[in-house]
Structures are given as C-alpha cells and as structure tokens.
C-alpha cells in the first residue's frame, strides 16, 4: 500500500526558541539544526532574521552548516523583513521565505487595524515580492483557526495565485476542536480552485491541549506538511510535538496511510539535546519522551508488562531511542516486579523466599515511597559498603565571587574528600563529587522541584546522566537542595 509523505517542518528554532528562557546562541542553534537534519526533518525554520542581528547571523550560519533540509526564515509581510530574510538565506542549498499576515477579523480589526481588502492586497504583494527573491515561499494565514472560512479560502487562493508554494493554516491560539480544524482544511480543499498548486500546512498550538489531535485532523483532511517542535516547546502552552505526531503516524500507518521520513531512533536523543540546551525540562508524563512514558508502577501493569511488553506498551522504547522500560518499585508493586528487580541486581529467589521478602518490601515501600536498588540490597541484608558511594557530608560557601564545595563520600568504609569551585553551589558540588569519582558520565538533565512550595520545603532533585550512549537516573531529596543534588548525582553514579 503506498502512503503519502508528510513533510516535517520543524520550528523548534523559531516558535520554540521564542519561549522565555529557551534562547540559544548561534553555536547551540547550529548543534540543534544538525541534530534536526539527522532526525530527518524536511524543513528547518531557522529564525526570524529581521528580529535581531543575532537571529540573522544564526540563520546564515545554519544555512552554511546544514545540507539536506530546506532552511526557512520567518518574515512579516513587509518589504524590509522579506529582503532581510532573502539575504540571510543566500547560503542555503534550498531556502524558503515564510511570510504572512493575520486572517481572522479579530487580528484584522484589533491588531492590524485595517480591512479584509487591504489584508488581501498585502498578502498578494508580499507573496509576489518574496517569490521574486527565492523560489520557495510559504504564506501563513495567522489565526486561521478563528478566521471566517470564505475569507480564509479567498486568502489561500490569492497567495497561491501569486506564487506561494506552501500555505500555512495556523491555529495560532490553539482554539480549534480537532473535528472543526479538520473541517477547515477540508473546506479549503473543496473551495479553493487552485489548491492543487500548493502544499497545505498545519501549524497548531496547544492552549487547550489539542495541538497533536488538531494536527492529525488536518493531515487526515489533506494537509501534507506539519509544523512542529521537539518536546512541543513553543509560545504559551507550546506547539505540536514532533515526536507525538511522528509516532501517531507510525503507530496508525495502516489506517492513516501517511508517513514521515523521521528517523524515530533519534527522537529521544534529540529530545534530550533540546532539554539540555534550552533548559526546558520535559514533564515526566509527556507522551513518548517523558521520564515516565515507559515507566510502570502499578502491580497489575508490572505483572502484565513482565509477561509481555505489548500488554501495556504500544511503542517499543528502543524504537524511539530510549534504552529500556522501567519497572518502578513502590508499595503498589507486586511480587513479579520485585522479583524482576531483584534478578536485575543478581539475586535469584525461590517462590517461598520471595513471599517472605515481599512482606519486608511492602513495609519499606510504605516508608520510602520508591524503592531503589540500594534499598533492595539493604533489605536483603547485603551491605552496600564497598559497592556504592554514600554522601557523608556536603559543605558549600557561596556568594558573589562564585561557590566552593567540600564533599565527603564514603565507599568501602573509607571516607574520600573532594573539593571544587563552581559558578554556583550546585556546579561546585557536582565538580567536587567528580573530583572523587572521576569523569564517569555526562550530565544530561538536572531538575529541582519543591514538594509544597514553602521555603522550608523538601527539595527533590532528579538527575539524568549518560555514559556510552546509555542513560541513568539519579534521585535525591533533602531540605537542602545542594545536599539533594549531591545525593542525586551519587545515586546516578552508583547505577553506572
Ligand atoms: O502561530 C502562528 O500563527 C505562527 C505564525 C508566525 C506561523 O507561529
Ligand atoms: Zn506558531
């Protein structure tokens, strides 16, 4: 069965990078663009060149660094924006200008303070002007999700007649319901006479949590390009997640008959890269790439998982580049999960032994919430000493001139002392730990959470480290977040 290709237009570096705190420098943007190329995206929206000299330079450098994907630059429908974008794209193998204007009456009246007629004129002019500068022009009808349908159809017809190769129908405010957004796309296919001369693109925001559903609805109704970001980062509640739609199309390929050229094995490594560079943690329960997306914690699920992964997983984590599913031990876990985790640390028990140990396990799990390998060893009466590092003490001085940490770790009954300076208490502490244990791994993610929000609160630190392509989690909790950090880092090191 032949399936239609969906072009993947990645806007992590434009709609994603606009998010406060997610700004990248040019070197980091190039690193992201190269990762997106490896991931298999077709178009990279590299920036908004007129917005700043830094953005202009980044678009230029990305054009030079990237070979296969089309490089796209955003503009308003203004002469200076379009000329600037064309100049920034001069080194691209294939460059695209993405220009556009508001299409809803809300935007036309309240934002542009003009009329539908003038907007159409401007749209026609901008498309034609851009087409004279580059061969590939995408036009966005901003706020198309709330636009009057017959006016939207007129706008799409006009820009195609003036040379648009792609027309973007954004649900800018994330307002549409999936069936309504799908109907909008269908309406355009039924009412725009020249629609076969361009690709229709879907660009959805997640204000009501429906960006993925809306994107899929648009594709089902004829759109052949989707605009997405890695981890769904983007304005306000974010954009459609690349990984979610790529996996929807893959998981439902038999019914949807659509495919992308995304190399799905690269999904998780790319997600980690974006998290690290943009300092934007992924929510633990995020589909596909969240820490818990392949973690099983209830006894019934764990038992089913251990009998056959497919009982509770519709995606094999290996397929998206995640090392393994996790069986998390809590008081809800059953004997099967406990046995699995004991076997993983080399302990094989008879049925009777397991029954006995399970009672002890439940008592411990009720106290500790989650049970780690060290807890299992302790429970089994096997000393950790000689095998694992333990945090004995952490002392940090911090202030304007930077931080200084002294960390004591215990291993094999012996106390080892490490000390280091750092650009803050956390940095100094991790460096002090490294001065004892060596550079065993790369820090991938560092997440601090307060449990209730008060200043006397317990701080929880989740750390992820990588070593030779494998990822390990570490967890630490303390009323002092620096001590929690040391505990989390040491926990991750112990798992290597
Ligand atoms: O959401 C939106 O409408 C946009 C356009 C600039 C394409 O990001
Ligand atoms: Zn957007």
């Amino acid at each position: 069965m032949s399936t239609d290709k969906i072009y993947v237009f990645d806007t992590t570096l434009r709609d994603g990078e606009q998010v406060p705190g997610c700004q990248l420098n040019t070197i980091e943007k190039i690193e992201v663009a190269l990762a997106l190329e490896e991931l298999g995206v077709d178009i990279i929206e590299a920036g908004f060149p007129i917005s700043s000299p830094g953005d202009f330079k980044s678009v230029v450098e990305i054009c030079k660094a990237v070979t296969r994907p089309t490089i796209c630059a955003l503009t308003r429908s203004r002469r200076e924006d379009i000329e600037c974008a064309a100049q920034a794209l001069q080194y691209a193998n294939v460059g695209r200008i993405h220009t556009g204007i508001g299409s809803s009456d809300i935007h036309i009246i309240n934002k542009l303070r003009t009329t539908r007629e003038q907007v159409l004129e401007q749209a026609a002019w901008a498309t034609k002007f851009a087409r004279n500068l580059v061969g590939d022009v995408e036009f966005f009808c901003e706020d198309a999700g709330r636009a009057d349908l017959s006016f939207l159809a007129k706008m799409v017809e006009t820009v195609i007649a003036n040379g648009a190769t792609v027309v973007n129908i954004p649900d800018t405010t994330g307002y549409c319901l999936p069936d309504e957004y799908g109907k909008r796309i269908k309406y355009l296919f039924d009412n725009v006479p020249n629609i076969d001369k361009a690709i229709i693109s879907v660009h959805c925001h997640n204000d009501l949590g429906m960006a993925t559903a809306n994107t899929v609805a648009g594709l089902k109704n004829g759109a052949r390009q989707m605009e997405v970001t890695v981890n769904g980062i983007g304005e306000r509640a974010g954009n459609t997640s690349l990984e979610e739609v790529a996996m929807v199309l893959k998981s439902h390929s038999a019914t949807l008959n659509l495919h992308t050229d995304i190399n799905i094995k690269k999904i998780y490594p790319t997600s980690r890269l974006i998290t690290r560079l943009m300092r934007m943690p992924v929510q633990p329960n995020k589909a596909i790439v969240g820490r818990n997306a392949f973690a099983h914690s209830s006894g019934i699920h764990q038992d089913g998982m251990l009998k056959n992964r497919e009982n509770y997983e519709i995606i094999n984590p290996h397929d998206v580049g995640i090392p393994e599913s996790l069986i998390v031990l809590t008081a809800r876990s059953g004997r099967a999960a406990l046995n699995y985790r004991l076997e993983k640390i080399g302990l094989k028990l008879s049925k009777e032994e397991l029954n006995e140990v399970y009672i002890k396990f439940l008592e411990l799990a009720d106290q500790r919430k989650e049970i780690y390998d060290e807890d299992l060893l302790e429970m089994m009466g096997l000393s950790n000493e000689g095998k694992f590092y333990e945090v004995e003490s952490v002392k940090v001085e911090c202030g304007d001139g930077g931080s200084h940490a002294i960390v004591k770790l215990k291993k094999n009954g012996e106390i080892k002392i490490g000390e280091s300076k750092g650009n803050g208490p956390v940095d100094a502490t991790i460096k002090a730990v490294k001065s004892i244990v060596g550079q065993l791994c790369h820090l991938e993610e560092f997440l601090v959470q307060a449990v209730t929000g008060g200043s006397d609160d317990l701080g929880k630190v989740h750390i992820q480290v990588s070593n030779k392509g494998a990822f390990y989690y570490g967890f630490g909790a303390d009323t002092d977040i620096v001590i929690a950090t040391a505990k989390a880092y040491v926990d991750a090191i112990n798992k290597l």
Side-chain angles (χ1 to χ4, degrees), residues 289-344:
V289 292
R291 190 171 60 240
N292 294 345
F294 297 95
H296 306 270
S297 50
S298 92
I300 296 171
H301 287 211
Q302 290 177 333
D303 181 53
M305 253 301 286
L306 293 170
K307 286 182 175 137
N308 186 333
R309 194 188 56 75
E310 287 182 12
N311 282 329
Y312 286 100
E313 280 180 355
I314 56 161
I315 295 167
N316 186 334
H318 289 279
D319 292 349
V320 291
I322 292 175
E324 59 175 355
S325 308
L326 297 176
I327 297 290
V328 180
L329 289 183
T330 69
R332 307 286 152 267
S333 301
R335 286 172 184 75
L338 176 62
N339 196 35
Y340 167 82
R341 285 282 298 273
L342 286 170
E343 282 188 0
K344 274 201 107 181

Side-chain angles (χ1 to χ4, degrees), residues 14-15 74 98 140 142-143 168 170 172 203 205:
R14 201 278 299 167
D15 230 347
L74 186 79
H98 188 192
F140 65 86
E142 196 182 8
D143 202 22
N168 178 7
T172 303
H203 176 121
H205 280 264

